[in-house]
Amino acid sequence: MTKWDDLVEKKIKDAMKEGAFDNLAGRGRPLRLEDNPFEDPSMRTAHRLLRNNGFSLPWIEERKEIESAIETARDNLARSWADYSDAQRSRSRRAAQPEGDWQHELNFFRRRILDLNRRIASFNLKAPSEAFQRMPLDVEHEIQKVMRGKTS
């Protein structure tokens, strides 16, 4: 724990000893976490209707689609790397073929990441706050992670 965490923990314990939490409104009742306290009250009903019918805001759906596309690209590259590594170990095919296949997959992956970074830039313009934005991908870092066996 940091000094800050220790200080906060001490303040909370002191307040509990002094009874600061004894007479809070709603004591003994479950927390209602389904309502977002930061949500615009005029939009609460609309958001609840969307949520209850399996819909969400377009920018949230777009973020999910981008994340899914990133995972698919990573999985495909990892599978190609495994195939290439296996072929290199077994030398069952011509030596040039696995290398050519791997280079082709690397080029394809780089193009996919370039496209995904464009989608991320567009998404970031639509996100309501910087906190919801997505960092673009570093293609060479992604390739190195796959080659080291770290796919997350």
Side-chain angles (χ1 to χ4, degrees), residues 98-109:
E99 181 68 31
D101 291 348
W102 173 240
Q103 289 304 318
H104 174 76
E105 186 60 36
L106 280 175
N107 291 334
F108 182 70
F109 181 76

Side-chain angles (χ1 to χ4, degrees), residues 90-151:
S90 69
R91 301 275 184 194
S92 62
R93 297 192 294 173
R94 293 182 298 124
Q97 185 63 36
E99 181 68 31
D101 291 348
W102 173 240
Q103 289 304 318
H104 174 76
E105 186 60 36
L106 280 175
N107 291 334
F108 182 70
F109 181 76
R110 285 185 175 104
R111 287 190 306 272
R112 285 179 88 177
I113 296 302
L114 182 63
D115 180 53
L116 282 166
N117 280 338
R118 286 186 192 116
R119 287 180 65 189
I120 290 168
S122 174
F123 165 79
N124 286 344
L125 294 173
K126 299 170 194 169
S129 163
E130 187 176 302
F132 297 111
Q133 292 183 351
R134 172 81 166 75
M135 291 294 297
L137 299 166
D138 177 343
V139 69
E140 297 306 320
H141 179 72
E142 293 291 330
I143 291 168
Q144 290 304 311
K145 282 193 320 188
V146 165
M147 293 172 69
R148 288 191 308 259
K150 299 176 183 175
T151 57

